[in-house]
Amino acid sequence: MSLSHYEQNRLSRIEASLCRSDPKLADMFGRLCVGQRMPAWEQAPSRLYQIRAAAALLAAAAARIW
């Protein structure tokens, strides 16, 4: 994911503020540990997934025509 300079700076300031205010809470929302995967609901669909979904829609539409 690509963030603008403004967005990245803003997130860094929020993170720093969180770490100063409550270190235990900051740990809960910290970085992923080595080998830990990001939860599925937080992942953006991949480009390949989007292409496959579009192909499936086109195939379904073509099947209705014939």
Side-chain angles (χ1 to χ4, degrees):
M1 182 165 87
S2 178
L3 298 175
S4 70
H5 177 70
Y6 172 78
E7 292 169 326
Q8 185 62 50
N9 186 27
R10 184 76 175 144
L11 285 175
S12 296
R13 289 174 39 202
I14 291 170
E15 181 182 13
S17 176
L18 178 62
C19 289
R20 282 191 307 271
S21 66
D22 190 348
K24 289 183 182 178
L25 181 62
D27 287 341
M28 290 173 54
F29 294 100
R31 297 183 185 5
L32 296 175
C33 295
V34 174
Q36 187 179 13
R37 298 190 70 196
M38 181 180 289
W41 65 86
E42 292 185 10
Q43 293 181 9
S46 68
R47 181 78 176 144
L48 181 58
Y49 171 81
Q50 293 171 338
I51 291 170
R52 287 182 179 161
L57 287 174
L58 288 174
R64 285 190 210 140
I65 294 173
W66 297 102

